[in-house]
DNA sequence: ATCCTTGCAAATTGTTTGCAGCTAG
DNA sequence: CTAGCTGCAAACAATTTGCAAGGAT
């Protein structure tokens, strides 16, 4: 996480005004909550959190804002185990990361691996493609008896 | 594809009877259509194909059968571009493959890369996990001007 | 006979959209 | 003012489930 909220948000601001769109209080709030969350929240969780600060914000606005942020490439989305899309702030393009998920407790751990990314490029090239993006998710179990990340749910 | 339908289906048969479940004509039909399809069909497409051979088979049965096959690890599921789950026959565990999708025409190409798999294992171990499974999807564009795999849809 | 399975339709779930009122610029 | 935005509720789409009838052992 190499940026702070203000930097990221002013980028948002810029992008929006470029298209005659507005940085409304709701959008700013949703963005800030998502940013400080810094995890992989789904719409429902995000909506709960946002409502904690402004109970008038509607579900649809959260959806629409996320879709907006996504189209501006300011957030990334991933659909992991359950069917729900999960969102996370997109930082600098370079530090792309992937995810490792514990089959026992569902905890999502991030990691980066430049070597794998190199090989992905090589694979794509061999297949005659220019690699644009990728998604990689590893599923596993903690080696320890009790998963150290075990959560209540 | 290292197996033929009969081999795969008798495995299914075995698994089913072990749980007092039955290999009904519908299940066999759905399985066979999925097998010969050997692609990445979604439920709707599969249902259409099945209906072509037996118009009485219901939508829910296709869903239930796929879920069943999935739980027996005889099919794998992946959700690519559109929101719909796509299914493919799981052959021997060893020849796991991943997917490369063309952003232009949506064609799904399969590939295997042992080197990447090795690195995935290494990453998981470093994070303190025993790697159980993974999903990797590469998104790209054909280098050629006109995508050779271009499809109508 | 028992109990798994089916087909249908209704119910759920996650997400999108239409619209009238509201609001930032 | 006047687009763009919001909240609500209704609409959608993918998938699941309840149930009565059908079928295999």
């Amino acid at each position: 996480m190499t940026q702070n909220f203000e930097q990221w948000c002013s980028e948002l601001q810029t992008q929006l005004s470029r298209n005659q769109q507005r940085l409304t209080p709701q959008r700013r709030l949703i963005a800030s909550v998502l940013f400080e969350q810094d995890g992989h929240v789904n719409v429902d969780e995000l909506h709960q959190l946002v409502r904690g600060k402004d109970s008038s914000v509607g579900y649809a606005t959260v959806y629409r804002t996320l879709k907006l942020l996504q189209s501006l490439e300011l957030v990334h989305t991933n659909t992991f185990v359950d069917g729900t899309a999960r969102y996370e702030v997109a930082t600098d393009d370079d530090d792309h990361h992937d995810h490792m998920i514990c089959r026992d407790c569902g905890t999502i751990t991030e990691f980066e691996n430049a070597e794998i990314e190199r090989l992905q490029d090589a694979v794509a090239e061999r297949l005659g493609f220019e690699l644009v993006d990728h998604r990689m998710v590893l599923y596993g179990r903690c080696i320890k008896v009790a998963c150290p990340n075990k959560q209540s749910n």
Side-chain angles (χ1 to χ4, degrees), chain A:
Chain A
M1 207 52 52
T2 55
Q3 296 171 88
N4 64 40
F5 179 64
E6 289 312 323
Q7 288 176 315
W8 183 74
C9 201
S10 81
E11 170 68 12
L12 170 57
Q13 172 71 277
T14 309
Q15 298 265 18
L16 286 174
S17 45
R18 182 172 300 153
N19 301 26
Q20 300 87 46
Q21 292 177 299
R22 294 165 193 170
L23 182 50
T24 62
Q26 290 93 330
R27 286 180 178 173
R28 173 175 265 275
L29 175 59
I30 291 166
S32 79
V33 170
L34 179 61
F35 193 93
E36 72 193 20
Q37 195 54 24
D38 183 28
H40 306 86
V41 274
N42 64 23
V43 176
D44 208 57
E45 293 162 356
L46 186 56
H47 183 236
Q48 296 293 331
L49 291 167
V50 166
R51 284 231 153 179
K53 303 201 171 189
D54 178 350
S55 61
S56 71
V57 177
Y59 221 93
T61 300
V62 176
Y63 265 106
R64 283 189 277 231
T65 301
L66 286 171
K67 212 168 130 186
L68 175 69
L69 292 171
Q70 211 183 143
S71 74
L72 298 177
E73 306 211 301
L74 288 167
V75 311
H76 286 153
T77 182
N78 254 103
T79 303
F80 300 109
V81 260
D82 59 340
T84 79
R86 291 183 173 272
Y87 299 82
E88 64 182 336
V89 170
T91 53
D92 311 329
D93 276 354
D94 308 34
D95 74 347
H96 176 84
H97 62 264
D98 293 290
H99 301 96
M100 160 110 238
I101 300 184
C102 180
R103 275 271 165 89
D104 290 329
C105 69
T107 304
I108 301 170
T109 307
E110 300 181 353
F111 69 88
E112 290 175 55
N113 189 297
E115 182 74 1
I116 291 181
E117 309 237 333
R118 266 206 324 102
L119 287 168
Q120 288 173 332
D121 264 323
V123 166
E125 189 181 341
R126 177 151 20 93
L127 295 173
F129 286 84
E130 179 195 7
L131 188 60
V132 171
D133 196 8
H134 74 264
R135 276 309 106 107
M136 173 167 61
V137 184
L138 307 184
Y139 298 94
R141 292 183 215 287
C142 282
I143 290 172
K144 328 284 196 291
V145 177
C147 176
N149 297 319
K150 193 75 88 189
Q151 290 175 344
S152 47
N153 68 82

